[in-house]
Amino acid sequence: MAKSKSTAAGSALESHGYEFGGPLGALGITIGLPLVCYSAGLLCNDVSGCPVPSVLHPRALTLEKLKQDVNWAGISSLLSWKATAWTLAYYLISIVLQAVLPGQRVEGVQLRSGGRLKYKFNAFGSAVFILVGALAGTVSQGVNFPLWTFIWDNYLALLTANIAIAFFLACLAYVRSFSVKRGNPQSRELAAGGHSGNLIYDWFIGRELNPRVFIPLLREIDIKVFCELRPGMLGWLLLDLAFIAHQYRTYGFVTDSIILVTLFQSIYVLDALWMEPAILTTMDITADGFGFMLAFGDLAWLPFIYSLQARYLAVYPLQLGILGTVGILAVQVFGYYIFRSANNEKNRFRTDPNDPRVAHLKYLETRSGSKLLVSGWWGTARHINYLGDLIMSWAWCLPTGIAGYVVQYTSPAPITGAKSPVDGSFVGGRSEGREVVQGEARGWGMIITYFYVLYFVVLLVHREMRDEEKCLRKYGQDWKEYCKQVRWRILPGVY
């Protein structure tokens, strides 16, 4: 365990030790997760299949065959100055919209130093502004609107640009954290878990709690809050929409499956943007520093991994039918009901315990004066909102069905947008003709399209364990008593 005291502002608390496996774990995640993103993009494509045929025969796998299957054209497959420039332009537009559009002014939670940071929230309005512009372009030029074609054609290069920005911001925040001084008037603080003294770990986990930068003409920007909901969340939605456009451009129709996925994820994104002030009470904002972990997660992992289902369906346009659609809708509505009801209950109680909608709830008052709910949603499980998240994650993956496909090229070219009466495969979209069939890839594609569920289980269980450790440090014996009254962590009766 690494423990060190800092002389910086608000750092009376000792660093509480390593998480994520310490420096080695941090290094492994820093290298491994970008590779996962690239692997998902390369191994599930519209050139050879999902997964690519060569990985289905590992004994015969050769590097040359793999390069052919992933359409590898050298490092230029991953890099593009044009994609980087447009990505930076997108970030600049997001920053300008935050500065110039009207927004809600809110104070954050009280910091250890006693101060409160001020925030301006208008992420929802900014997103609407950008989406209306995209809609106008689509109405004018259809699915060939350059935004949609550019995203599809430069997918991997856009991923690289966002990863590079995450690295840059993590380095910037780490270097600037050493200028934090005790008693500074800006209420800058170090994160309790981010000043272990190990460079790799502190850079990864985040050394400064709420790093801010001043941009001439645009005022001060809170880097962590900006990254939390703006570029990545809206980018996720824009990727989904680009994938719908590609499906229509290729086949001449849009399936119920890709509409469902995009609808579910759009609701989630727009809900998060609408409820933007609620992030001020989350662990990301109140406890975690801003380092590579949050930067990469917000800007690269979230948009490019969370949109894998829509990207898959853009190439294999699965039709669910009425029964399939209704069944998946029921899963989504149930999960969202738990997620939003639980979070609303918590936020209302924290904001005004006398609110008639939450005044009846029972609570345990800690020695520090905090009130822990022991009835209502939060009396059923200590992290009941995570259960809603997990249920919704299934609804986002189920539309891909038993996933997997192989791209077969045919001659002469079939009719664009047609469906083969022989095997139900999808054909069209290229001058030489092609068929997208499940074949031997059937089922294997679920490794990619259902990866989100597996990842989300690991993420939420790990986050729940971090929450528990943080609360035990904060509340001590009171937390143990609370756990006796609210026994279950996420799933009542099971875990």
Side-chain angles (χ1 to χ4, degrees):
M1 287 287 192
K3 293 180 179 287
S4 65
K5 285 191 175 182
S6 171
T7 60
S11 302
L13 290 181
E14 289 189 348
S15 177
H16 52 63
Y18 289 141
E19 297 177 288
F20 297 97
L24 287 179
L27 182 61
I29 293 171
T30 299
I31 297 173
L33 292 192
L35 290 178
V36 171
C37 292
Y38 283 122
S39 296
L42 290 167
L43 298 180
C44 182
N45 60 54
D46 64 337
V47 175
S48 61
C50 182
V52 296
S54 54
V55 301
L56 299 177
H57 305 281
R59 292 185 178 180
L61 179 64
T62 65
L63 182 59
E64 288 305 313
K65 177 60 178 172
L66 184 60
K67 285 182 177 181
Q68 179 182 343
D69 282 353
V70 302
N71 198 30
W72 182 252
I75 198 66
S76 61
S77 301
L78 309 180
L79 295 174
S80 164
W81 288 113
K82 187 176 181 180
T84 301
W86 279 112
T87 301
L88 291 173
Y90 168 64
Y91 277 72
L92 179 59
I93 291 171
S94 298
I95 292 172
V96 171
L97 290 177
Q98 182 184 26
V100 303
L101 291 182
Q104 182 181 2
R105 306 273 179 180
V106 180
E107 283 193 343
V109 299
Q110 186 170 337
L111 301 169
R112 294 198 307 271
S113 60
R116 291 178 184 268
L117 296 174
K118 293 180 173 60
Y119 299 89
K120 177 185 176 183
F121 290 132
N122 60 10
F124 184 83
S126 300
V128 170
F129 184 93
I130 292 174
L131 291 173
V132 168
L135 175 62
T138 305
V139 170
S140 173
Q141 303 183 45
V143 294
N144 290 314
F145 179 46
L147 173 63
W148 310 135
T149 57
F150 185 81
I151 288 175
W152 183 266
D153 294 340
N154 295 273
Y155 178 81
L156 291 175
L158 292 171
L159 169 61
T160 300
N162 282 278
I163 292 175
I165 291 172
F167 269 97
F168 170 78
L169 291 178
C171 292
L172 175 67
Y174 179 78
V175 171
R176 292 186 75 254
S177 71
F178 289 94
S179 66
V180 177
K181 304 297 181 184
R182 183 186 297 275
N184 66 85
Q186 296 83 24
S187 297
R188 296 177 65 191
E189 292 186 0
L190 298 184
H195 51 101
S196 68
N198 183 280
L199 187 153
I200 293 176
Y201 180 80
D202 292 346
W203 170 84
F204 169 81
I205 205 72
R207 197 167 185 273
E208 186 173 352
L209 185 62
N210 298 111
R212 295 185 165 201
V213 294
F214 181 82
I215 301 177
L217 303 179
L218 298 177
R219 301 181 181 178
E220 191 174 57
I221 299 293
D222 187 299
I223 300 176
K224 182 164 66 171
V225 170
F226 174 80
C227 291
E228 190 79 7
L229 290 180
R230 286 177 183 266
M233 287 288 273
L234 180 58
W236 172 17
L237 180 51
L238 291 173
L239 285 171
D240 280 356
L241 295 174
F243 300 151
I244 289 180
H246 181 79
Q247 186 188 82
Y248 186 82
R249 194 164 55 249
T250 303
Y251 298 104
F253 60 84
V254 176
T255 60
D256 49 13
S257 57
I258 200 170
I259 290 175
L260 271 187
V261 168
T262 304
L263 175 65
F264 294 161
Q265 296 182 351
S266 297
I267 292 173
Y268 187 88
V269 169
L270 295 175
D271 175 82
L273 299 177
W274 179 260
M275 301 294 293
E276 188 178 15
I279 67 173
L280 293 180
T281 59
T282 62
M283 185 170 66
D284 284 358
I285 304 301
T286 62
D288 290 338
F290 182 80
F292 182 76
M293 178 183 73
L294 285 182
F296 173 80
D298 291 339
L299 306 179
W301 183 265
L302 183 146
F304 289 90
I305 292 297
Y306 287 25
S307 61
L308 284 177
Q309 298 84 17
R311 185 169 179 262
Y312 169 87
L313 292 168
V315 181
Y316 188 79
L318 179 66
Q319 293 283 8
L320 300 172
I322 295 178
L323 289 180
T325 299
V326 170
I328 295 172
L329 271 172
V331 175
Q332 168 70 16
V333 170
F334 180 54
Y336 182 76
Y337 170 71
I338 295 175
F339 168 81
R340 180 44 58 203
S341 298
N343 281 327
N344 281 345
E345 183 181 84
K346 177 183 67 174
N347 289 328
R348 286 167 182 158
F349 187 80
R350 284 180 170 176
T351 303
D352 180 13
N354 296 318
D355 186 320
R357 292 170 291 185
V358 295
H360 64 284
L361 296 176
K362 298 178 181 179
Y363 59 85
L364 183 155
E365 186 162 0
T366 68
R367 292 175 179 82
S368 64
S370 299
K371 298 175 181 178
L372 306 176
L373 290 171
V374 294
S375 67
W377 280 109
W378 300 90
T380 59
R382 302 196 291 274
H383 308 275
I384 189 64
N385 56 326
Y386 290 173
L387 177 61
D389 266 325
L390 289 172
I391 293 173
M392 284 191 291
S393 71
W394 276 102
W396 297 357
C397 299
L398 287 172
T400 63
I402 302 176
Y405 62 78
V406 177
V407 180
Q408 298 178 345
Y409 295 94
T410 61
S411 182
I415 300 173
T416 299
K419 188 172 182 180
S420 168
V422 179
D423 61 2
S425 59
F426 298 95
V427 298
R430 301 212 176 194
S431 58
E432 73 271 22
R434 69 171 189 170
E435 291 184 332
V436 182
V437 302
Q438 289 209 284
E440 63 180 356
R442 177 178 168 84
W444 289 106
M446 295 174 72
I447 297 173
I448 292 173
T449 65
Y450 287 79
F451 171 77
Y452 176 73
V453 175
L454 176 61
Y455 152 74
F456 218 51
V457 169
V458 174
L459 170 74
L460 293 183
V461 170
H462 181 263
R463 176 169 288 188
E464 170 268 323
M465 293 171 65
R466 294 182 69 211
D467 284 341
E468 294 279 323
E469 291 177 2
K470 184 195 74 170
C471 290
L472 181 59
R473 289 194 302 269
K474 182 176 181 179
Y475 300 118
Q477 190 60 40
D478 291 327
W479 184 255
K480 295 180 180 179
E481 177 58 32
Y482 169 69
C483 291
K484 290 179 182 178
Q485 295 189 42
V486 184
R487 294 176 52 204
W488 304 107
R489 293 171 176 250
I490 297 176
L491 181 59
V494 178
Y495 176 75

